[in-house]
Amino acid sequence: MIYTVTLNPAIDVSLFVKDGLAAGRINKSYGMNAEAGGKGINVSKYLKALGVESVVCAGFCGTDGERLQDMLKDEFEVLSVTYPSGNTRTNIKITDGNGITTDINGDGPVYDKASVELLKTSVSGRLTSGDTVVISGRPPHGSPSDIYADLIRSLSTVEGVKMILDCSGEFLLEGLKAKPYAVKPTCEELGFADDVETALREAARIVSEGVTHCIISMGKNGSVFAGVDSVPVYSKALDVDVHCTTGCGDAMTAGLAYAFETKMPSSDIFAMCVAMASAEAETEGTKAPSKERIMELVDAVRFCGQ
């Protein structure tokens, strides 16, 4: 089973405008979607499109938290806790006719140690060998920098559980010290500009320090992959009709979880992740692409060695 941990979930409201977003003026939207969001929840949505079930593990707060749980309960099994203060976020995503997305992210809940500990206990009590846990996104305000490192170490005590980490900043740096099974940072999150050679070196370094698989995403500039049993490789971004870039990174993370759950060979993991991100780029908002389209794009991925 796959468990996706989202400590700071959101309601994602996607708006679409025909031309570029004009600051200081009235912009007319021709479409709107409101969906359950947050990086881990997005991963669960993309996994479901692939026919793989997952358990959503999240913390909620306030009236919007209740609304978000209602949005999720018919689609997923949910393990939840309630934070005592703050808000469940509402995020606004505005995409123009060129596929460029502007994100306005709302405020979130305040970190509560007891709530996070309760969620951790709920998840650990369910884990068995071979399960995958995805930890994604920025945690609540006031969270300690090692919050994800602690989750990784605690949940990894169940033998054979694969931990995937997708976050940024101090949470990424501390999380890497706990040696998750796989990570999916961007160049910016690692502190350097998009550059293939640098990304290849960094991916190899991260793997050499105890991570089994590492993907470094560079958006339209492609991505790199390194694994303990494969040489670092680079893939250009696929030439697809981009409608919205929001969720592409989460789709790539879902590709990792899908690959581990279905026991894909290492040679196929990266192609699956690139195809997932590309298929999502073709899709408006954070709606999941079809499995058929994802598998079509897997065959289009081409790699270049170091």
Side-chain angles (χ1 to χ4, degrees):
M1 179 59 75
I2 299 172
Y3 297 82
T4 62
V5 177
T6 311
L7 296 183
N8 193 5
I11 297 172
D12 285 340
V13 178
S14 298
L15 301 171
F16 304 93
V17 297
K18 291 187 181 297
D19 302 312
L21 183 63
R25 296 174 56 188
I26 295 175
N27 293 265
K28 186 174 177 59
S29 169
Y30 67 86
M32 184 190 82
N33 294 320
E35 302 173 273
K39 293 178 72 63
I41 290 171
N42 288 341
V43 170
S44 283
K45 289 192 291 186
Y46 304 143
L47 288 169
K48 187 161 188 175
L50 289 166
V52 174
E53 294 300 318
S54 62
V55 179
V56 170
C57 312
F60 303 96
C61 192
T63 302
D64 282 342
E66 294 173 1
R67 180 187 174 200
L68 181 52
Q69 289 190 76
D70 286 341
M71 296 169 75
L72 290 167
K73 66 182 182 182
D74 292 334
E75 298 289 329
F76 305 102
E77 180 183 356
V78 180
L79 294 180
S80 67
V81 293
T82 301
Y83 298 124
S85 59
N87 305 284
T88 291
R89 298 179 297 153
T90 296
N91 294 336
I92 309 297
K93 303 173 185 301
I94 306 171
T95 302
D96 67 19
N98 297 315
I100 297 173
T101 301
T102 300
D103 291 279
I104 305 171
N105 290 346
D107 216 6
V110 176
Y111 169 72
D112 178 67
K113 182 177 181 179
S115 299
V116 174
E117 288 295 318
L118 179 59
L119 187 63
K120 181 173 71 175
T121 300
S122 298
V123 176
S124 63
R126 295 279 300 271
L127 293 177
T128 59
S129 181
D131 287 344
T132 297
V133 180
V134 179
I135 301 174
S136 300
R138 190 169 186 85
H141 295 300
S143 294
S145 61
D146 64 348
I147 184 171
Y148 288 156
D150 176 66
L151 279 172
I152 291 166
R153 293 188 180 103
S154 297
L155 300 181
S156 294
T157 57
V158 179
E159 186 177 357
V161 170
K162 298 177 176 64
M163 306 293 302
I164 301 174
L165 179 64
D166 180 14
C167 63
S168 61
E170 60 186 356
F171 308 107
L172 171 63
L173 297 178
E174 290 296 324
L176 285 170
K177 296 177 184 177
K179 298 178 174 57
Y181 188 77
V183 294
K184 191 213 65 63
T186 64
C187 292
E188 181 182 3
E189 289 166 351
L190 290 170
F192 59 92
D194 288 354
D195 176 75
V196 175
E197 292 303 318
T198 304
L200 285 166
R201 287 195 300 271
E202 280 297 294
R205 178 188 65 80
I206 289 169
V207 168
S208 73
E209 293 178 355
V211 174
T212 303
H213 299 289
C214 174
I215 293 179
I216 300 178
S217 171
M218 297 181 287
K220 65 181 181 180
N221 295 316
S223 51
V224 305
F225 173 82
V228 292
D229 54 358
S230 60
V231 297
V233 291
Y234 164 72
S235 172
K236 293 181 179 180
L238 296 183
D239 185 13
V240 298
D241 185 11
V242 176
H243 285 278
C244 181
T245 55
T246 299
C248 291
D250 301 332
M252 188 169 272
T253 303
L256 281 170
Y258 177 83
F260 300 152
E261 183 73 4
T262 58
K263 297 179 172 56
M264 277 187 173
S266 292
S267 57
D268 295 337
I269 292 174
F270 190 27
M272 185 67 199
C273 293
V274 173
M276 286 287 292
S278 301
E280 178 55 24
E282 295 179 322
T283 309
E284 289 189 341
T286 55
K287 289 184 177 180
S290 70
K291 183 176 182 178
E292 291 74 20
R293 181 54 177 160
I294 293 165
M295 295 309 177
E296 283 177 8
L297 290 174
V298 167
D299 295 331
V301 180
R302 297 291 181 269
F303 305 131
C304 301
Q306 193 169 14

